[in-house]
Amino acid sequence: MSISGPLGSLPIPNFIHKRLFSQSSSNRSLNINNINPHVKEAKYAVRGELAIKSEQYRAQLAKGEGKDLPFDSVISANIGNPQQLDQKPITFFRQVASLVENPQLLEKEEVLKNGLGYKSDVIERAKKLLKDVKSVGAYSQSQGAPGIRQSVADFIERRDGYSADPQNIYLCGGASAGVNALMSVLCASPQTGVLVPIPQYPLYTATLSLLNAQMVPYYLKEESQWSTDVGGMRTALKEAQKKGIDVRAVVVINPGNPTGASLAADHISSVLELAAEEKLVVLADEVYQTNVFEGKFQSFKKSLRELQSSEKNKGGKFDYIELASLHSISKGMVGECGHRGGYYEMVGFDPEVVAQIYKFVSIMLCPPVVGQCLVETMVNPPVEGDPSYPLYREEYDTIFQNLKQRAFALYNAFKEMEGVECQPPQGSMYLYPTINLPQKAIEAAKKEGKNPDDFYCLSLLDATGICIVPGSGFGQKEGTLHFRTTFLAPGTDWVSRITEFHRKFLDEYR
Amino acid sequence: MSISGPLGSLPIPNFIHKRLFSQSSSNRSLNINNINPHVKEAKYAVRGELAIKSEQYRAQLAKGEGKDLPFDSVISANIGNPQQLDQKPITFFRQVASLVENPQLLEKEEVLKNGLGYKSDVIERAKKLLKDVKSVGAYSQSQGAPGIRQSVADFIERRDGYSADPQNIYLCGGASAGVNALMSVLCASPQTGVLVPIPQYPLYTATLSLLNAQMVPYYLKEESQWSTDVGGMRTALKEAQKKGIDVRAVVVINPGNPTGASLAADHISSVLELAAEEKLVVLADEVYQTNVFEGKFQSFKKSLRELQSSEKNKGGKFDYIELASLHSISKGMVGECGHRGGYYEMVGFDPEVVAQIYKFVSIMLCPPVVGQCLVETMVNPPVEGDPSYPLYREEYDTIFQNLKQRAFALYNAFKEMEGVECQPPQGSMYLYPTINLPQKAIEAAKKEGKNPDDFYCLSLLDATGICIVPGSGFGQKEGTLHFRTTFLAPGTDWVSRITEFHRKFLDEYR
């Protein structure tokens, strides 16, 4: 029995439960025991108990009621929300957005240019977008505005060196909406299985829970920088098949969330080979494709086209691979998550299946049109010679360098912390260190009915105001403990808050 | 067997089907026969075959390739998409939006005021919103930004004369996203049933199909201006219960879509009484609440509070009614559907159930933040004495008058058409006339494997470029035929295109 307050579900004794809820249950249509069980099963820790508690601390501090708290600010390192923290939006993007929002401004070009410093390419871009969408207040095609999809196709072609078809591009309200559409069509029964990395971004397990399908876990190799181990993937697949699970897709998050890993090209090819052999749809979550600190991002689409045109493709083995690659405006140097924009490219899908995906997304009408416009500016930014290019370049590079610096500052701090092991930062916005906690801390957690990593993260929040997410929210090998932190928060003060807390925590429970 | 092309599903012979798909089916993971059957079952005609064909005509005309077509423009009367047609966005809303998109503009107040004509209340509003959301590029709380929810609560209080709690307000990406969240939690099994009006906006049946739950139809009374007949509702409920269906909610669309009906207060009370007796969640779709041409809009929330404080509430009969009321920025004089904004207010729900709804929406992170800002401007527009008020008033009233005029122009045209019967316009953006087609037309439709109303609408599109939606997309009593048309398209030329087509059509098949 549990009661849900603003802090999530807390256990309460049975007799109190009866007193509180029995009347309500009998008078209402809905209660916790008769609603959709799959919603109840779904877990989404990124915005769970800790996040809600941190928001309460923040509200307390804002009202000036936080004098008794041992910290004076809340640091939201739980969620990749760049603009909630230090990251400024890119000027070109937002200037264009301001014009598509108020096209009347386009009648005053002189004021825009001389009074507000808008460059001519900003104005041209806004006009181009408005020609395509007519008004950002109008529904677009459910698949997204045609001109914007064309820009996405051009971007993919430039990125990969292989052509892309705008017909295969679906704009969506952030990658999450894309995953939801794809999974909703793919999951046909409680026996449908999808290979999901562990650790993973919990969108995948939550969506599979909601759709009453099976999460088939494959473990990433922490010891080799969280790389994808196709051997382990195959074993997981075979074991699931033995249990009667119809495994029909594999999710790969590259660069990794929460791991920060960046996949090498040969790992990607191995996944595609497995997909060809076992007829798996590949869902490539590539939303962190510009957050790469080591090496160069390689897309699944590029690897697929390379395989298809290589000698390995004897007998057309790779011809029918179904690949959906997702990208987003939420991450990278763009960081426009509040605008809810993204896209997925589908290649190799049966046209009848695509028609069903189209129908599915049409029920929700269309993705936010300003978000679509920002997708366009992301994939088609100012280039050398454009008036807005110098500022764009400077802003972009500064954000990138800041992220990289903070990633390594955090990594270096973790390396020094007793009982903490951390893989070097490669990409995305996260670090996912292992924490080794003393037995006494584990017992203290148990006493409070909590996982040890939950207990650790809650203690950190209460002591420092820093909100991170326990490893149990992403999955971890039995017997190991982790947490995920973003490296988006400005400054380094908060890193030392963690170091200090950690020392005291170990001292207390040693 | 059918094949899906850009025009939707077309029947094809079995042997061709085998040739086209057998290889693909055996090489791919997904095919039309193994994907989620509930997606396949879902129907959403508003964006179906006709809409896709009309877009093709539009593209043909745009490319100058439409010389052989018997029309020179496509009229999209199939979908309530005001800004795709004549409706201009309201200046105050878009000025505010341009500033939250580019907050750097706020550093140049003089240019804004003197160069661009932005009034001081525009600037103040943008600052207020930015204080609340920090950046429109940042995720907000999953439930929506707190200050915006407060504005919504204040609006409801002003509208109804009863207080509202911002904790009960959930912002969402258009009302469709709200319906999806509520239905997803509510539908627990294939035996869960929801009372849905017929005719209805197909979001409801499509969502119930996707969730594998039961649509329990109740028929609206065409002969009395499409009013809601609680007697019929009760009969439908009882019959469903006899079949073992666990009916736990009732959907009411007021003002009606596609019917245009506007419900009287006593009808609303009757629905609430039924809900109290039968423990039904009430889903009140009130997105057209400002599109009312006759009488005054009465909200379900107001009626509920009136009942709760009346003598009828002996024994607390109405205390536990669970009501979710939805509103949207997409319709009314706002018409900002491309921005995907809306909200729902939940009253009377068990807090444990609300916690599950919160978790469900948190998986998709948050509604578009600019859409949230537009919700704020919609519920908190300039008032008398504000610098932006005179223009706001003028724009708002002009849109309203234009809609009303076109509604009646269309209604008058329908009244003159042979075999067409139409209820007078009361609200929303639609008319839903009955069409009586000659037997020969019905046979011609049958020959092409089409419903007679589909056949009629397709003929209209091919002959005139006007896209409307057949009644079969919304539901209609057995043996009756209808179509839905918006009255958003400018001018009256297109009305006479319909009249002329109709005459010729009848002559052809008489």
Side-chain angles (χ1 to χ4, degrees), chain A residues 116-135:
Chain A
L116 301 173
Y118 279 37
K119 310 281 188 203
S120 58
D121 53 350
V122 170
I123 294 167
E124 280 159 33
R125 184 63 60 88
K127 286 182 182 167
K128 180 192 149 175
L129 288 167
L130 285 169
K131 200 177 157 206
D132 194 28
V133 304
K134 184 159 180 181
S135 162

Side-chain angles (χ1 to χ4, degrees), chain B residues 71 132 179 214 236 287 317 329 379 395 453 456:
Chain B
F71 46 85
D132 194 27
V179 169
Q214 304 274 342
V287 302
K317 175 178 167 187
I329 59 172
V379 298
E395 290 175 334
D453 50 352
Y456 178 86

Side-chain angles (χ1 to χ4, degrees), chain A residues 94-209:
Chain A
R94 292 302 197 89
Q95 287 180 335
V96 171
S98 69
L99 296 180
V100 297
E101 280 292 1
N102 190 8
Q104 290 182 358
L105 296 177
L106 291 168
E107 293 157 21
K108 310 207 170 174
E109 280 200 21
E110 281 316 302
V111 181
L112 290 179
K113 286 182 178 168
N114 303 327
L116 301 173
Y118 279 37
K119 310 281 188 203
S120 58
D121 53 350
V122 170
I123 294 167
E124 280 159 33
R125 184 63 60 88
K127 286 182 182 167
K128 180 192 149 175
L129 288 167
L130 285 169
K131 200 177 157 206
D132 194 28
V133 304
K134 184 159 180 181
S135 162
V136 293
Y139 293 126
S140 71
Q141 290 181 16
S142 297
Q143 188 180 352
I148 297 176
R149 290 189 280 113
Q150 182 64 56
S151 287
V152 172
D154 295 343
F155 156 76
I156 293 170
E157 190 166 334
R158 283 195 309 274
R159 184 193 67 190
D160 294 341
Y162 293 93
S163 70
D165 183 348
Q167 278 301 106
N168 295 340
I169 312 289
Y170 276 59
L171 300 179
C172 51
S176 303
V179 169
N180 181 49
L182 292 160
M183 291 278 208
S184 293
V185 171
L186 192 144
C187 292
S189 86
Q191 264 54 59
T192 301
V194 176
L195 280 158
V196 172
I198 297 296
Q200 52 104 30
Y201 176 56
L203 167 68
Y204 294 97
T205 41
T207 305
L208 288 168
S209 287

Side-chain angles (χ1 to χ4, degrees), chain A residues 2 26 28-29 34 36 39 42 47 83 94 101-102 118 135 142 184 248 279 322 338-339 348 352 359, chain B residues 2 26 28-29 34 36 39 42 47 83 94 101-102 118 135 142 184 248 279 322 339 348 352 359:
Chain A
S2 71
S26 66
R28 289 187 173 109
S29 171
N34 75 357
N36 186 344
V39 172
R47 296 207 152 201
Q83 294 184 22
R94 292 302 197 89
E101 280 292 1
N102 190 8
Y118 279 37
S135 162
S142 297
S184 293
R248 41 170 79 174
K279 285 200 283 173
E322 296 143 277
H339 275 104
E352 287 186 309
K359 182 180 67 183
Chain B
S2 72
S26 67
R28 289 187 174 110
S29 172
N34 75 357
N36 186 345
V39 172
R47 295 208 152 200
Q83 295 185 22
R94 292 304 197 86
E101 280 293 0
N102 190 8
Y118 280 37
S135 163
S142 297
S184 294
R248 42 170 77 175
K279 286 200 283 172
E322 296 145 275
H339 274 104
E352 287 187 310
K359 182 181 67 183

Side-chain angles (χ1 to χ4, degrees), chain B residues 416-481:
Chain B
E416 300 300 312
M417 277 159 60
E418 184 187 343
V420 172
E421 293 151 38
C422 190
Q423 297 297 312
Q426 292 186 288
S428 85
M429 298 177 166
Y430 313 104
L431 291 179
Y432 193 65
T434 286
I435 40 173
N436 298 293
L437 296 184
Q439 194 54 36
K440 246 177 88 182
I442 292 169
E443 277 155 24
K446 212 173 176 180
K447 226 186 222 164
E448 296 197 15
K450 294 203 180 301
N451 295 322
D453 50 352
D454 290 343
F455 179 75
Y456 178 86
C457 293
L458 206 53
S459 307
L460 176 74
L461 174 63
D462 290 338
T464 67
I466 297 170
C467 185
I468 55 176
V469 188
S472 53
F474 306 95
Q476 48 200 351
K477 269 191 188 146
E478 183 93 25
T480 69
L481 298 171

